[in-house]
Amino acid sequence: MYKRILEIDLARQEARSYQDVELFDQYLGGTGVATELLVRHCQPEVDPLGADNPVIFATGPFSCAFPVATKTVAMFKSPLTGELGESHAGGRLAMAMYNAGINALVIKGKSEYPVFLSIENQKVVFNRAGTLWGKSALATHRILQETERNRPGKASIFRIGPAGERMSRYACVTVDNQRHFGRLGLGAVMGSKNLKAVVIRGDCYEKPQNPKLYREVYDKIYKAVVESDQMRKYHDLGTAENVLPLSMMGGLPTRNFTQGFYEGAGEISGEAFAEKTLTQKIACAHCQCGCIHLGGLRQQFGRDHSYKTFQVSYDYELIYALGSNLSINSPQNILRILHQVEKQGWDAISVGVTLAWATEAYIRGLISRKETDGLDVNFGDWETYLEVVRRMAGSHSEFYRDLEMGAAYCGEKYGGTDFAVVFGKNEAPGYITGENAFTDWLLGVRHSHLDGAGYSIDQETFSKELSTEEQMKKLVDESLFRMLLNSLAICLFARKVYTPEVILQGLEALGEARDRDWIDRFTLSVFQNKYRFKKACGFDVEDARLPEKLFRVSTATGKVSRERMKERVNIFKKLTGV
């Protein structure tokens, strides 16, 4: 592992590359290193959209070394929540950083004018991006592919769309084809820096320190991946397979979390998307799974029979956010809205939850045709939703600009905070399974379903009686172990393959030998490092609250208890020391 950091100052248009062996020895890589670099470079009180908010990208020691270690971790102060911002993306970026000899990338300052960066190994070129400013995330990728095609090596390109330029609080960063740093507003931070895109490539290569052991461990992991039923599921229908089972158990959020089952679930299931829209399955670099499912969106662009077809990536979270939660029961209509979201460069979950809030606010009379400028916003009306996102993209009025600020902001401004379904101001993931899921999002470091396994623990209680303490122990143990998985930068789809024993063997093969006791110390230290930053930014576990609506609805495991939620917070504090 190179243990090398590339630090870029946009204001001065300067870059320096250096090694920090001690940092990587202590924090490994990925989320561990990225968190520590954020702590070093970001004062908690900084404006998330100010020049002093850095953007950190980090890969792990397993990146490009072992199967399905495909993720790059981004760390920043979130403009959506005002505290820790962390997002992960696949694609080719981890491999491109490895090829460039870079384990972490730190981008600071603000450029005087729009730029895109060309990085080859440790050399950085600052390019004017005035002609790219205003271009969609999709068009920017095509243009940069053409511009950079004659340079050696296969590049990775990550960029923002117009939403990031407008500093929409949930703007994302699109990576290569169909991957994203989706959550918590990284696109807005890049936009605030006048940074349109980064193109990265290189020709570096490291040999494993113990080739024989490395080959043995690699083959073991490879075999486990390709023979895993779980990985086969991700390849076949992808996470969209979860639509029907979750609806049947009452865990699929519908019409702004009003209920957990959707009468149209069969029409937007993974099976329905595959049969009606699926055109291709692709994989991130160095992944044997191929979980990325692309649906064909056919649109007429001229009179008579003139059509063009777009390939749009879909998965469970997007189907929930723009499907069941808005009561839209057509794959094509979901893809229509999703395509506009992709062009703008928004996080699709946040868009869906914010639109669901707006719909309920309209139905309850908190907003009217005055705010919507003549639109009647109702669940199931996909054409109106499509017009709403177009007006958001065009900054049509104050109300549509406010929708880009997120559901929490809109609830505070217009009323309806009790049905703005957010956790730590981050729009909710797609599970209404019960208290473990809600606790996971409420207290997790990213307020994300990827922080732990809350929704899985909820489902486990269907067949096993577990006390609240036992459930919380499982939740915290998984949340802590993911500090290690995310520091190795493994795709969490392979989390059952990468057991502690396999991880220790892999580290030894790479000359990074650790022991079992180290895992427990490491995972807790990274978790607590994140929480120190969150607290310094103003997050307080004691002040964390569920949206009131969630106490009134029936989840897959029944009604949520206020008393048990208080008990869960206390257990969480005891187990984590935060």
Side-chain angles (χ1 to χ4, degrees):
M1 187 176 177
Y2 312 110
K3 302 183 180 180
R4 185 179 293 130
I5 299 168
L6 179 63
E7 192 174 304
I8 298 171
D9 188 320
L10 293 172
R12 294 186 173 88
Q13 295 203 349
E14 296 175 349
R16 70 184 184 105
S17 173
Y18 60 95
Q19 285 191 310
D20 192 334
V21 174
E22 184 179 347
L23 172 69
F24 286 93
D25 284 348
Q26 183 175 355
Y27 291 103
L28 207 60
T31 195
V33 163
T35 302
E36 178 60 20
L37 286 172
L38 184 70
V39 169
R40 294 181 184 183
H41 290 279
C42 181
Q43 295 299 316
E45 65 274 10
V46 302
D47 178 355
L49 298 177
D52 292 332
N53 186 14
V55 177
I56 318 292
F57 299 94
T59 61
F62 281 13
S63 298
C64 301
F66 293 115
V68 204
T70 59
K71 295 295 185 180
T72 303
V73 175
M75 203 76 69
F76 49 98
K77 185 177 179 182
S78 168
L80 183 65
T81 67
E83 39 121 327
L84 182 79
E86 178 178 355
S87 192
H88 301 182
R92 188 181 165 76
L93 180 56
M95 183 169 283
M97 288 180 65
Y98 173 87
N99 292 150
I102 300 166
N103 301 108
L105 177 63
V106 180
I107 301 177
K108 304 190 297 184
K110 176 181 178 179
S111 174
E112 292 182 11
Y113 47 81
V115 296
F116 76 89
L117 305 178
S118 294
I119 301 173
E120 186 173 336
N121 296 326
Q122 287 83 57
K123 181 182 177 183
V124 181
V125 177
F126 298 81
N127 305 280
R128 287 185 176 268
T131 56
L132 294 174
W133 209 251
K135 294 285 193 298
S136 74
L138 305 180
T140 299
H141 185 248
R142 292 194 299 270
I143 293 168
L144 288 177
Q145 273 189 316
E146 181 67 22
T147 302
E148 301 277 310
R149 68 175 182 171
N150 293 324
R151 297 177 63 185
K154 188 169 177 59
S156 176
I157 301 172
F158 61 92
R159 69 279 184 194
I160 61 172
E165 297 169 13
R166 292 191 303 273
M167 290 176 275
S168 167
R169 297 305 188 266
Y170 49 72
C172 74
V173 173
T174 308
V175 181
D176 301 325
N177 290 316
Q178 317 294 347
R179 298 294 85 193
H180 308 85
F181 291 108
R183 313 240 60 199
L184 297 171
L186 178 60
V189 179
M190 281 183 54
S192 73
K193 295 180 174 300
N194 278 329
L195 178 59
K196 180 67 174 179
V198 177
V199 184
I200 184 167
R201 54 160 53 83
D203 57 7
C204 298
Y205 175 75
E206 277 192 323
K207 292 182 179 180
Q209 293 198 11
N210 188 332
K212 183 176 183 296
L213 179 59
Y214 169 75
R215 185 76 258 177
E216 291 173 1
V217 176
Y218 186 98
D219 289 345
K220 178 180 180 179
I221 296 172
Y222 178 88
K223 187 173 186 293
V225 167
V226 298
E227 294 181 359
S228 163
D229 289 338
Q230 185 83 348
M231 301 302 281
R232 190 175 298 113
K233 160 192 163 180
Y234 290 132
H235 177 74
D236 183 18
L237 293 177
T239 57
E241 181 180 298
N242 295 331
V243 172
L244 277 177
L246 280 165
S247 182
M248 291 173 66
M249 71 177 69
L252 176 64
T254 299
R255 290 183 282 277
N256 198 33
F257 282 72
T258 297
Q259 62 193 52
F261 65 92
Y262 180 43
E263 64 280 0
E267 298 171 74
I268 59 170
S269 65
E271 293 83 353
F273 262 84
E275 291 164 7
K276 296 177 181 178
T277 75
L278 183 62
T279 57
Q280 190 178 6
K281 302 174 188 178
I282 59 177
C284 299
H286 205 173
C287 175
Q288 292 73 34
C289 177
C291 73
I292 305 168
H293 288 61
L294 305 181
L297 174 61
R298 192 164 179 250
Q299 291 188 343
Q300 188 170 1
F301 66 88
R303 290 189 296 177
D304 302 322
H305 296 89
S306 299
Y307 299 92
K308 54 186 174 182
T309 301
F310 300 97
Q311 291 200 116
V312 183
S313 174
Y314 66 85
D315 61 27
Y316 168 74
E317 292 293 342
L318 311 187
I319 295 171
Y320 131 72
L322 300 174
S324 66
N325 209 37
L326 299 180
S327 199
I328 296 176
N329 61 359
S330 161
Q332 278 292 308
N333 292 337
I334 292 172
L335 291 180
R336 284 187 174 95
I337 299 172
L338 184 56
H339 183 55
Q340 295 302 315
V341 169
E342 288 281 359
K343 289 170 67 176
Q344 286 297 310
W346 284 309
D347 174 65
I349 297 175
S350 286
V351 170
V353 173
T354 303
L355 291 179
W357 168 87
T359 308
E360 187 162 347
Y362 184 81
I363 292 170
R364 290 174 178 241
L366 295 177
I367 60 174
S368 67
R369 288 169 62 91
K370 177 184 177 182
E371 284 79 19
T372 66
D373 197 13
L375 292 184
D376 295 310
V377 186
N378 290 296
F379 288 116
D381 186 352
W382 69 269
E383 290 177 299
T384 296
Y385 285 130
L386 194 57
E387 178 59 23
V388 169
V389 298
R390 286 170 176 159
R391 291 187 181 189
M392 288 165 61
S395 297
H396 181 81
S397 67
E398 180 181 355
F399 174 71
Y400 292 103
R401 289 191 292 273
D402 287 341
L403 289 179
E404 286 201 273
M405 302 289 283
Y409 177 90
C410 290
E412 291 170 2
K413 179 170 181 176
Y414 296 94
T417 55
D418 61 322
F419 57 83
V421 189
V422 297
F423 294 80
K425 298 186 179 180
N426 190 24
E427 286 74 21
Y431 304 89
I432 191 168
T433 53
E435 292 176 359
N436 286 293
F438 295 163
T439 303
D440 198 5
W441 313 338
L442 191 67
L443 305 178
V445 290
R446 295 192 276 162
H447 306 291
S448 163
H449 65 294
L450 299 176
D451 282 326
Y455 58 92
S456 296
I457 299 169
D458 283 330
Q459 294 172 60
E460 189 178 343
T461 64
F462 293 165
S463 58
K464 186 185 298 184
E465 190 170 333
L466 297 169
S467 68
T468 303
E469 183 107 27
E470 289 172 326
Q471 293 173 41
M472 285 301 298
K473 179 69 164 58
K474 284 177 172 285
L475 182 62
V476 168
D477 284 348
E478 180 65 20
S479 299
L480 292 177
F481 188 59
R482 291 189 182 197
M483 297 300 103
L484 176 57
L485 295 176
N486 293 333
S487 294
L488 298 168
I490 293 166
C491 174
L492 291 175
F493 285 174
R495 61 189 179 274
K496 292 185 178 179
V497 171
Y498 281 94
T499 64
E501 294 71 28
V502 169
I503 289 170
L504 292 175
Q505 291 169 6
L507 287 171
E508 182 181 358
L510 298 176
E512 300 283 344
R514 305 288 201 279
D515 59 30
R516 187 65 179 81
D517 289 340
W518 169 85
I519 289 179
D520 294 334
R521 295 193 304 272
F522 175 80
T523 55
L524 184 59
S525 70
V526 174
F527 185 90
Q528 292 179 336
N529 202 17
K530 289 175 186 290
Y531 246 88
R532 279 192 292 271
F533 186 82
K534 288 169 71 71
K535 286 182 173 181
C537 292
F539 179 76
D540 189 337
V541 170
E542 296 292 346
D543 293 335
R545 297 286 184 273
L546 286 186
E548 278 297 311
K549 182 174 187 175
L550 298 184
F551 289 110
R552 301 193 295 268
V553 301
S554 181
T555 75
T557 50
K559 289 289 185 70
V560 176
S561 162
R562 294 182 190 274
E563 290 70 27
R564 281 196 303 271
M565 289 302 294
K566 290 178 182 176
E567 180 186 3
R568 286 174 175 277
V569 170
N570 291 331
I571 296 171
F572 178 85
K573 289 168 58 180
K574 181 178 70 174
L575 293 176
T576 61
V578 300

